[in-house]
Amino acid sequence: MNGDAPRPPRGLPFLLLALFVPLGLAALLFWLGGEYGRWNGLRDETDKSFERRVLLIDILSQLRAAESSQRGYVITQDPEFTARYGEWHTGIEQAFARADRLYRDVPEQRAGFTGLHKLARAKIAEMDEVLRLYSTQGPEVARKRVTNGAGKRLMARLQHQLDMVIRDEQRMGDTRAAAYRNRTDTLQRVMWILVAISSLSLAIALLGLWRQRLSQYQIELRGYAAAQRNETIL
């Protein structure tokens, strides 16, 4: 009895495999690109948070330096102190303008920064008023204004407000750093999974090739044995 006629190979599985592999790779690259973009975004946000904190601390240092120059002038009448005060005054305004641009992207921190800016303007106005009193009513009136403690209380409120803003920034920075680490860990796990899947696929493919080669060898071995028997019979 004759066996069944051999069936021609089906092209559909090979076509599906040929389509699945590039589509799968494209989807993987698209996902990795999105993860890389979010990863860079988290890193940029962390860097900006650090930049804002450094800038606010620098502003407070400039305010303290301006206060020292103002009081130095009231006490010593040295005009060099007023020149320094003018420089600090300009520097503070420029620093606040820069900080204002940095805080436009973080509305949840805007209220704290606005409160700090308001207190800083009040402190600058208080120092300007002391200098105005000095020039219009004399050094004694200006000294009394300095010693009444209003400037000291404003500086204490500034320090307290700055501490609050810094804590909020630190908390946001820690949250973003944790998200950054989680993203990195997730990406690392995905890469290990892909390595495992690729290794398993390669092993399966090699096993299939080995079986095919072994089957071909057995067919060739049987053909060789049949040829030997035919040669012996002849």
Side-chain angles (χ1 to χ4, degrees), residues 112-171:
F113 168 74
T114 301
L116 183 67
H117 196 182
K118 182 178 179 180
L119 286 171
R121 286 197 298 265
K123 176 60 182 175
I124 292 173
E126 182 267 336
M127 292 187 293
D128 289 343
E129 176 65 14
V130 170
L131 293 177
R132 188 191 67 81
L133 290 174
Y134 184 91
S135 62
T136 58
Q137 301 184 30
E140 290 301 324
V141 176
R143 292 191 188 102
K144 287 181 180 179
R145 182 62 181 267
V146 169
T147 57
N148 69 4
K152 185 177 181 180
R153 288 190 295 271
L154 272 173
M155 189 60 74
R157 291 175 61 190
L158 266 167
Q159 182 67 62
H160 177 71
Q161 183 69 17
L162 177 63
D163 291 342
M164 290 178 58
V165 174
I166 293 295
R167 282 196 298 268
D168 290 342
E169 285 282 357
Q170 184 66 50
R171 184 167 56 252

Side-chain angles (χ1 to χ4, degrees), residues 199-211:
S199 301
L200 181 60
S201 300
L202 179 61
I204 292 173
L206 291 175
L207 180 60
L209 290 173
W210 168 251
R211 287 181 175 178

Side-chain angles (χ1 to χ4, degrees), residues 195-220:
V195 169
I197 293 174
S198 301
S199 301
L200 181 60
S201 300
L202 179 61
I204 292 173
L206 291 175
L207 180 60
L209 290 173
W210 168 251
R211 287 181 175 178
Q212 183 182 4
R213 182 67 184 89
L214 183 61
S215 177
Q216 183 180 358
Y217 168 73
Q218 291 173 349
I219 293 172
E220 292 175 354

